[in-house]
Amino acid sequence: MANYPISLPLYQRISRKNTIPRTVELIILFLLFSLLVYRLLSLTNHGITWLLAFFCESWFTFVWLLTVNAKWNQVDYKTHPDRLLQWAPELPPVDMFVTTADPVLEPPIITVNTVLSLLAVDYPAHKLACYVSDDGVSPLTFYSLVEASKFAKLWVPFCKKYNIHVRAPFRYFSGKPLLSQDVSLEFQQEWRKMKDEYEQLSQKIEDAAERSVSCDVTDEFAVFSNIESRNHLTIIKVIWENKEAESSGLPHLVYISREKRPKHPHHFKAGAMNVLTRVSGVMTNAPFMLNVDCDMFVNNPQIVLHAMCLLLGVKNERDSAFVQSPQKFYDGLKDDPYGNQLVVLHEYLGRGIVGIQGPFYAGTGCVHRRKVIYGLSPDDKEITGKLSDEDYLQKQYGNSKVFTKSAAQTLSGLDGKTSSPHLWSSVEAANIVADCGYEYGTSWGIKVGWIYGSTTEDVLTGLTIHKRGWRSAYCSLDPPGFLGCAPTGGPATMTQQKRWATGLLEILLSSRSPIFATLYEKLEFRQCLAYMWILVWALRSIPELCYAALPAYCIITNSRFLPKVQEPAILIHVALFVIYNLYTLSEYLQTGLSIRAWWNNQRMWRVTSMTAWLFGMLSVILKLLGLSETVFEVTQKDQTTISDDSNANAGTFTFDESPFFVPGTTILLVNLTALAIGLLRFQPTSRGGDGSGIGEFLCSVCVVLCFWAFLKGLFGKGKYGIPSTTICKSGALALLFVHFCKWTSRS
């Protein structure tokens, strides 16, 4: 770190000792291979069920291989921000990005809290700039940010004066009141004042939402008059500028709504992030960029300092292209009924990927080197000569001379500086680079910036960075650096999972697949396997569905896909079932979670794979056939604190008329029908005594237990009940399946 002469290291990289888990993982892998060998050796003596089981189990073995690879080298980082603070005057500037797209699904009060938490981080304020991208071009969002900037003038000094830890007001004031004898009278008075001010801010935003912000009251809002969300000019507003460059003041705050036209593709969040990158490039041009989703507020005020330790403390920049914080959530429902809090996933598999080439880019809670986003490779020795070539710069970055100059400055390794003395004087140049046609003929979205071509632009962008030879770092803090809100209902959870599965499969089937990146570029082989673990989510739906339907098929046709109880081979299945479940259960218990949380996550993996991931795969197939285009679906954000004590239905699975719930309901009805047929002995006569046994019955019962929420939904009401149209569709499909089973048994 040449420019920052700090003698002590800013971070430590610590490898975890996980000998016992590795041993168990290898035992499970050995059992899976033993099962496949047994299937192959006995394939000729059994029918189609044996062959289907072999294909499904081959897939499960492949996925387990990917899992073992990803979890093998688990790594922790320990950072030392106190050492970095010794050189506070030398700290580099950071541009902070917040993205929002829909004022209904993402209420402005959520965005406001995220912005306030960013403005209050422990970092010199004159070296920070916060840019908010509003793809919903909402006057309410702009109004909320203007009012929030006024509140921030009181809130930020209050947080720093009293070293407030949680700096998102809605979270801070939702906790237990701190007005006790242990605090000073002055603090009590200021606390009450802050609480009153925040309640007034919330009320103003709520009132504005109810009456719809008037666009013709002032010049500030006139630009929003009669505006169309998908057909409008660029709007850039400097809400607050730290003109005096005071380290104790407020960071810059800028509102951006990029130009949109019906005939121009806008590339969803990736397009918004590229506009933010260019606009910030001509206004502040910080060498580092932090981006968060509108619902992911700062929970640890020193998060930027911790990230800087990992970015500035490396001996070689290639080891830290970006620093990713894990996605964690506040007020998670007890025992994680929707299986979307991802605690164990981050703790073991996430840290394992850190030990290879570094964590994936998750789209939020990440600090990037700007020059890496600009497409620089760590071994690009010719870049210096290219920076004086204006044609090269325009071909890569567009025809804005202001921006190409700032890009050349960034790529040359110079600290970012504002190209103009004040932000307002940069607005004209910022409008040019936010134009919807600016990217035509450039490398934006192809080699530069956030990469286009997938609804999971974050993973694709991170993959592009890794395949150039960069590595990434992980910043997992206690308390967590960022907290967000997880979906709290069945439809929202399915929508999010379907979008992820769709985007990930798009990457796998494209020319940007990690397979090609390993063969022809610099992506490490084990990192390729780690990417494959997540990219095949949608493909996992088919073997999961087949395996869930197999026991029902066997019961109805009186055939089998498992060894008989008296056969020694049954021990392989029993050992696999017991060891795998005890192994996964131990992971949950070691992270402080309950047995019920473990069960909820196990069943939700089954439910999600057979519902949302299935539709993700179908969406990609339709796109490949040219029958439809994939759509970026915004997930409903909810700031409401949910407590089991205040809401008896908290955690109860909810449904709507979405087709997401048809496959799950069908699988449930199929297995219920099979169990009824088996118990009532309506099965055909088995051939050669090779009929279904206790194993098939137990497997069918397990499937029903996994879909227990759907079973309750059959008798539920309102949003807690499965709609009658879904039940009818699923019932018809279940009858077709039973008819097919009977037809095959007669054949």
Side-chain angles (χ1 to χ4, degrees):
M1 197 171 66
N3 296 329
Y4 303 91
I6 298 173
S7 56
L8 295 174
L10 295 179
Y11 73 90
Q12 294 170 275
R13 192 174 188 269
I14 305 166
S15 296
R16 284 184 174 182
K17 294 182 179 179
N18 56 334
T19 306
I20 295 176
R22 283 180 178 179
T23 304
V24 177
E25 289 161 9
L26 290 177
I27 290 172
I28 294 173
L29 189 60
F30 171 76
L31 289 171
L32 284 167
F33 278 121
S34 300
L35 177 59
L36 294 183
V37 170
Y38 165 71
R39 291 282 189 199
L40 280 173
L41 293 176
S42 55
L43 199 59
T44 55
N45 300 326
H46 299 85
I48 187 68
T49 56
W50 216 258
L51 184 62
L52 279 174
F54 172 75
F55 283 129
C56 292
E57 288 157 0
S58 298
W59 177 263
F60 300 150
T61 305
F62 171 67
V63 171
W64 185 249
L65 266 172
L66 299 180
T67 304
V68 172
N69 164 75
K71 296 169 75 170
W72 196 255
N73 299 107
Q74 295 174 25
V75 166
D76 287 321
Y77 283 99
K78 183 179 181 181
T79 47
H80 303 283
D82 52 319
R83 298 174 184 174
L84 186 66
L85 285 173
Q86 298 172 21
W87 299 92
E90 303 295 329
L91 290 176
V94 179
D95 288 337
M96 305 180 293
F97 301 157
V98 181
T99 51
T100 183
D102 190 314
V104 176
L105 296 176
E106 299 171 334
I109 190 63
I110 293 180
T111 305
V112 159
N113 272 275
T114 297
V115 169
L116 288 170
S117 70
L118 287 169
L119 297 179
V121 294
D122 288 337
Y123 205 79
H126 66 295
K127 297 198 173 184
L128 294 174
C130 182
Y131 296 85
V132 181
S133 170
D134 175 22
D135 261 8
V137 65
S138 166
L140 176 61
T141 299
F142 175 65
Y143 170 81
S144 301
L145 291 171
V146 170
E147 293 301 317
S149 69
K150 300 173 185 175
F151 173 71
K153 296 172 186 176
L154 302 173
W155 175 247
V156 173
F158 170 75
C159 289
K160 295 188 175 180
K161 179 179 179 180
Y162 295 107
N163 195 26
I164 302 302
H165 181 74
V166 179
R167 298 184 182 180
F170 89 101
R171 289 293 296 164
Y172 178 67
F173 293 118
S174 67
K176 294 181 180 179
L178 301 178
L179 306 183
S180 66
Q181 296 179 352
D182 298 331
V183 296
S184 66
L185 179 62
E186 180 187 18
F187 174 77
Q188 293 184 38
Q189 292 173 341
E190 292 198 41
W191 187 91
R192 289 192 181 94
K193 179 183 177 182
M194 285 299 107
K195 193 171 189 298
D196 291 340
E197 290 287 345
Y198 178 67
E199 288 175 351
Q200 290 177 28
L201 171 65
S202 301
Q203 191 60 50
K204 284 181 181 179
I205 294 173
E206 188 177 326
D207 292 344
E210 290 179 358
R211 69 174 187 269
S212 296
V213 178
S214 179
C215 296
D216 55 359
V217 174
T218 65
D219 292 338
E220 282 292 309
F221 292 93
V223 70
F224 292 98
S225 179
N226 299 319
I227 202 165
E228 296 179 31
S229 62
R230 297 188 179 184
N231 188 16
H232 64 86
L233 291 170
T234 299
I235 301 173
I236 298 178
K237 299 282 188 180
V238 179
I239 296 174
W240 173 257
E241 182 177 1
N242 188 345
K243 295 180 181 179
E244 309 302 324
E246 296 178 354
S247 61
S248 59
L250 289 183
H252 304 311
L253 178 59
V254 182
Y255 170 91
I256 302 167
S257 186
R258 58 188 169 129
E259 181 184 17
K260 285 188 179 178
R261 298 301 179 194
K263 294 183 180 180
H264 293 266
H266 57 85
H267 302 294
F268 313 112
K269 183 182 174 182
M273 290 301 300
N274 284 336
V275 169
L276 283 171
T277 302
R278 295 195 296 271
V279 169
S280 65
V282 300
M283 298 186 87
T284 48
N285 199 33
F288 298 97
M289 304 180 295
L290 162 66
N291 90 278
V292 295
D293 288 342
C294 65
D295 66 314
M296 193 67 66
F297 67 84
V298 175
N299 183 64
N300 188 325
Q302 290 200 320
I303 179 60
V304 179
L305 292 171
H306 284 280
M308 284 298 123
C309 287
L310 294 165
L311 289 161
L312 302 177
V314 291
K315 294 180 180 179
N316 190 332
E317 285 185 348
R318 74 182 304 140
D319 292 331
S320 187
F322 61 84
V323 174
Q324 178 65 58
S325 295
Q327 283 185 281
K328 297 191 176 182
F329 307 98
Y330 62 85
D331 283 348
L333 292 168
K334 185 181 179 182
D335 299 324
D336 193 11
Y338 295 106
N340 54 16
Q341 294 172 27
L342 311 177
V343 175
V344 172
L345 188 70
H346 287 305
E347 184 64 24
Y348 297 103
L349 194 136
R351 291 183 191 274
I353 296 170
V354 173
I356 309 176
Q357 201 174 340
F360 306 151
Y361 169 41
T364 182
C366 188
V367 183
H368 293 269
R369 292 185 191 273
R370 185 182 286 267
K371 63 183 179 182
V372 175
I373 290 295
Y374 283 178
L376 184 69
S377 297
D379 298 322
D380 193 345
K381 299 177 181 178
E382 301 177 359
I383 189 64
T384 305
K386 296 177 182 177
L387 297 181
S388 58
D389 185 348
E390 191 64 32
D391 290 337
Y392 167 78
L393 290 173
Q394 289 192 8
K395 186 176 180 180
Q396 289 288 106
Y397 305 108
N399 57 11
S400 167
K401 291 186 178 180
V402 177
F403 181 75
T404 54
K405 182 180 178 181
S406 75
Q409 181 182 357
T410 297
L411 293 167
S412 64
L414 299 175
D415 283 343
K417 295 179 181 178
T418 307
S419 56
S420 304
H422 297 295
L423 293 186
W424 274 110
S425 57
S426 304
V427 170
E428 183 178 348
N431 272 281
I432 292 173
V433 297
D435 186 279
C436 64
Y438 181 83
E439 295 179 351
Y440 289 119
T442 71
S443 294
W444 285 101
I446 303 170
K447 298 179 181 178
V448 174
W450 273 253
I451 307 302
Y452 303 148
S454 169
T455 54
T456 51
E457 76 297 318
D458 43 9
V459 175
L460 180 55
T461 301
L463 171 59
T464 303
I465 292 170
H466 281 138
K467 75 181 184 181
R468 293 189 190 123
W470 294 99
R471 304 177 73 88
S472 52
Y474 198 58
C475 189
S476 182
L477 305 177
D478 185 17
F482 302 92
L483 288 178
C485 54
T488 55
T493 299
M494 295 298 112
T495 297
Q496 184 183 68
Q497 290 284 347
K498 184 229 176 184
R499 185 180 76 236
W500 289 349
T502 300
L504 294 169
L505 187 57
E506 285 175 327
I507 297 171
L508 179 64
L509 300 180
S510 73
S511 60
R512 297 187 177 97
S513 168
I515 298 172
F516 299 123
T518 299
L519 292 174
Y520 304 112
E521 299 188 65
K522 297 178 182 178
L523 187 72
E524 294 180 11
F525 176 68
R526 287 191 57 211
Q527 187 77 1
C528 169
L529 296 182
Y531 270 109
M532 290 294 290
W533 181 86
I534 191 172
L535 296 183
V536 299
W537 277 5
L539 298 180
R540 289 169 68 168
S541 59
I542 299 303
E544 291 278 0
L545 271 171
C546 286
Y547 217 65
L550 258 180
Y553 176 88
C554 290
I555 294 171
I556 295 171
T557 60
N558 203 10
S559 57
R560 65 188 178 98
F561 77 102
L562 294 172
K564 293 181 178 179
V565 175
Q566 62 270 26
E567 294 180 23
I570 194 65
L571 295 176
I572 300 176
H573 291 85
V574 173
L576 263 175
F577 179 82
V578 172
I579 295 174
Y580 174 79
N581 283 290
L582 288 177
Y583 166 78
T584 54
L585 176 59
S586 69
E587 289 186 328
Y588 281 80
L589 296 178
Q590 287 170 21
T591 53
L593 298 175
S594 64
I595 296 176
R596 189 176 183 85
W598 164 78
W599 167 244
N600 286 337
N601 277 258
Q602 295 302 306
R603 68 176 179 82
M604 280 305 299
W605 272 103
R606 305 283 82 75
V607 170
T608 301
S609 63
M610 295 183 223
T611 54
W613 293 358
L614 175 65
F615 279 91
M617 187 188 69
L618 294 175
S619 179
V620 174
I621 290 173
L622 292 175
K623 179 183 177 181
L624 292 174
L625 294 175
L627 299 178
S628 72
E629 286 294 325
T630 52
V631 178
F632 189 96
E633 298 168 284
V634 179
T635 306
Q636 173 77 52
K637 307 295 192 305
D638 185 7
Q639 198 183 64
T640 306
T641 299
I642 300 177
S643 169
D644 290 338
D645 298 328
S646 60
N647 185 358
N649 290 317
T652 303
F653 207 90
T654 56
F655 302 89
D656 62 11
E657 294 186 356
S658 165
F660 286 141
F661 303 107
V662 172
T665 309
T666 303
I667 283 292
L668 172 67
L669 294 176
V670 161
N671 279 277
L672 287 174
T673 304
L675 289 172
I677 289 173
L679 290 172
L680 296 173
R681 299 188 180 278
F682 288 163
Q683 302 159 288
T685 305
S686 63
R687 298 177 182 178
D690 211 23
S692 60
I694 188 65
E696 285 74 21
F697 273 79
L698 289 176
C699 286
S700 195
V701 169
C702 283
V703 173
V704 172
L705 290 176
C706 285
F707 285 87
W708 191 258
F710 283 68
L711 183 60
K712 291 170 66 177
L714 292 176
F715 307 100
K717 295 181 179 180
K719 66 178 182 178
Y720 301 110
I722 300 175
S724 57
T725 53
T726 300
I727 295 175
C728 290
K729 293 173 186 175
S730 301
L733 290 172
L735 286 174
L736 282 175
F737 180 84
V738 173
H739 179 73
F740 170 77
C741 293
K742 291 184 176 180
W743 176 77
T744 55
S745 63
R746 287 197 298 269
S747 301

